[in-house]
Amino acid sequence: MQNLSLLNSIVGPVMRGPSSSHSAGPYHIANTIRQLTAGCGEYIDSVRIGFNPSGSFAAVYSNQGSDEGFAAGFLGIPITDDAYLDALRRFQSGQLYPFTFEVTTLVPNDHPNRVQIDVQVRQTDGNIRSDRFRAVSTGGGMFVIDDLNGHSIEVTGTEHVVLVEGDADAVPDALAREDLNWRTAVRASNRLSQFAFAAELSAEALVSIAGLSGVERVRVTGPSQLCVASTDTLLVSGAALGEPNNLGLAEKALELESIRLGLPRHEVRRLFEERLELMLTSVENGLRAAPSSDRMKFLTPSALRIKNAILPPIIGAGFLQNAMSAALAVMEQDTNRGVVVAAPTAGSAGIVPGVLFALSQVGVAESMLVDSLQVMALVGGAFAARGSFAAETGGCSVETGASAAMAAGGMSHILGAGPQQVFGAASLCLMNTLGLVCDPVGGEVEIPCHARNIAGVSHAYAASIATLAGFDAVLPFDDVVQATVDVGKLMHPDLRCTGRGGCAAFCPAPKGSDASGSKTFVPLTLKSGYKDR
């Protein structure tokens, strides 16, 4: 994940739904395939989306909003548009083309978030064309579409992509004649070539390419988030970032993201300011949400109640009370399909804004909050340089564990910690969540996820205070990240977001039902499923 962007992949994406890998990833996959499959004058006739029975989607695609994400993506509805919430219903009511899901054996079956999408397209001549795409939601809203009709491709939503079917030998010369700055060209096969660009091609350039002899079809898609201008390796390790240098960590984050996005630092700073505003807005929206917006299956809204609770004075926990209520407010927005910022995932989306909100409530200036967010992003980037944020591959350690590490680092920074202490506080959080399972009850990102966001802000606070007071984590951040990755690989699949083990073995009755809660036990027998990459 060395070509990641801090704004796209660490304090992002901006999304709806309770899971970044199961909600945001499907949205971006579908939106990208929609652009790639239906050209000018063509339209989609039907869509069938397949999940492997041993993967994670099969168990949770309805509970965690994958179906809603796919539906909104295929309709091209912006995430911030409230029409997103109505997309799936429009398909289900028969207003649009057939749109179905099925659990079926996929080949290859190499990742728990593997998906196969079959699209029927009505061409301008009236005939139907069948396209088959294979894709993986890789965590944190990131994805890769890696196959089209049996041809290997690599579309990740980080750039403008043109796929040329047929003889593409003359395309580079045509691009040179048009004076176009194309970045990479990949020959997927002798009949399909992929070209990547940092900027959108003009209609004239696309017509020129389509008119070349031997070119049969040109497919185009834009980036799903902020366009990546440089794919150079920028983030190497926490150790390198923690070394004393002329740039502070907040400035280092701006420098690296400026290179990645090809934007001046002041523009990147503005984007971080906007991201902070979105986070704090999600807190405020969650705290004042109307009861009628509640879609939670098991939990009742608790954020405002915790914020306003009168606790024993001896506790003296005003900061933590604000942080916990803010974290819950975001998670309740998350579950209720409000707009949130995954930081770095939807399942851990409350921790970073929870800490930032609590800091704002004790008078920390907005400029310092933005600095803190930039450092949080940098810590998350150092994690992602070695690991993945997909709980399907690493358990909750890579979600609430990574998010708590980010929050601890950012909080430590604005309290005066140096770079080594920042990564020391982050290391503490990872140590204490090593091997934490991902086990959502009933496939819903409620139990134990909301509780773990409460624990995450508390954990970040404790790690920051302990580090500033002189406690030494001893183990380097990068080593603990590697341990997190290694332990994740050793975890049984039933403990990695498949809804089969841990807390997920419990089956409480939904709130408001007359049935009493019950408990079942799911034996952790070895299953023949996907193979880890």
Side-chain angles (χ1 to χ4, degrees), residues 1-6 9-11 20 138-140 142 234-242 249 256 343-345 348 352 374-409 422-436 459 476-489 491:
M1 295 174 63
Q2 290 285 7
N3 65 344
L4 56 87
S5 152
L6 299 182
S9 314
I10 312 300
V11 288
S20 47
T138 56
M142 295 175 283
L234 300 177
L235 283 162
V236 179
S237 66
L241 294 169
L249 291 180
L256 296 179
T345 68
S348 62
V352 164
Q374 289 168 195
V375 173
M376 292 176 182
L378 200 61
V379 171
F383 180 97
R386 293 172 179 264
S388 163
F389 295 130
E392 299 82 4
T393 61
C396 199
S397 310
V398 304
E399 292 206 31
T400 57
S403 188
M406 291 164 56
V422 164
F423 281 97
S427 185
L428 280 180
C429 288
L430 290 184
M431 279 187 218
N432 294 336
T433 54
L434 193 63
L436 184 61
H459 197 182
F477 178 78
D478 297 321
D479 291 353
V480 185
V481 173
Q482 190 59 53
T484 301
V485 173
D486 294 341
V487 169
K489 292 178 180 177
M491 291 171 66

Side-chain angles (χ1 to χ4, degrees), residues 196-455:
F197 303 81
E200 183 177 8
L201 271 67
S202 67
E204 292 78 8
L206 292 172
V207 168
S208 175
I209 295 171
L212 294 173
S213 176
V215 171
E216 299 169 4
R217 180 173 293 106
V218 176
R219 303 173 187 257
V220 183
T221 184
S224 59
Q225 299 183 61
L226 296 167
C227 187
V228 170
S230 169
T231 56
D232 293 342
T233 298
L234 300 177
L235 283 162
V236 179
S237 66
L241 294 169
E243 288 297 321
N245 54 57
N246 294 329
L247 286 179
L249 291 180
E251 283 298 311
K252 188 65 175 178
L254 285 185
E255 177 191 58
L256 296 179
E257 192 69 349
S258 176
I259 295 170
R260 179 68 75 217
L261 301 180
L263 298 173
R265 289 194 193 190
H266 69 84
E267 179 65 15
V268 174
R269 175 74 174 189
R270 184 187 63 79
L271 291 170
F272 271 107
E273 291 169 351
E274 290 180 356
R275 203 54 55 93
L276 171 68
E277 182 180 359
L278 276 169
M279 287 182 169
L280 297 182
T281 298
S282 69
V283 172
E284 296 291 350
N285 288 343
L287 290 174
R288 62 171 180 256
S292 59
S293 68
D294 177 26
R295 293 179 54 169
M296 291 188 288
K297 184 175 181 179
F298 302 113
L299 300 177
T300 55
S302 302
L304 186 60
R305 185 166 66 248
I306 289 178
K307 186 177 189 302
N308 293 334
I310 306 299
L311 300 176
I314 195 172
I315 295 175
F319 181 92
L320 279 178
Q321 188 173 349
N322 277 327
M324 289 188 292
S325 65
L328 276 177
V330 174
M331 292 305 295
E332 289 168 6
Q333 279 289 285
D334 207 357
T335 304
N336 295 333
R337 307 307 192 257
V339 176
V340 300
V341 178
T345 68
S348 62
I351 298 172
V352 164
V355 168
L356 291 169
F357 177 81
L359 289 169
S360 74
Q361 297 302 291
V362 294
V364 175
E366 181 180 340
S367 62
M368 293 183 67
L369 293 177
V370 179
D371 285 347
S372 179
L373 179 58
Q374 289 168 195
V375 173
M376 292 176 182
L378 200 61
V379 171
F383 180 97
R386 293 172 179 264
S388 163
F389 295 130
E392 299 82 4
T393 61
C396 199
S397 310
V398 304
E399 292 206 31
T400 57
S403 188
M406 291 164 56
M411 181 175 174
S412 298
H413 173 76
I414 63 169
L415 294 180
Q420 291 184 333
Q421 286 182 304
V422 164
F423 281 97
S427 185
L428 280 180
C429 288
L430 290 184
M431 279 187 218
N432 294 336
T433 54
L434 193 63
L436 184 61
V437 304
C438 180
D439 48 350
V441 170
E444 304 288 343
V445 184
E446 295 181 37
I447 305 172
C449 314
H450 288 213
R452 287 186 183 157
N453 276 256
I454 293 176

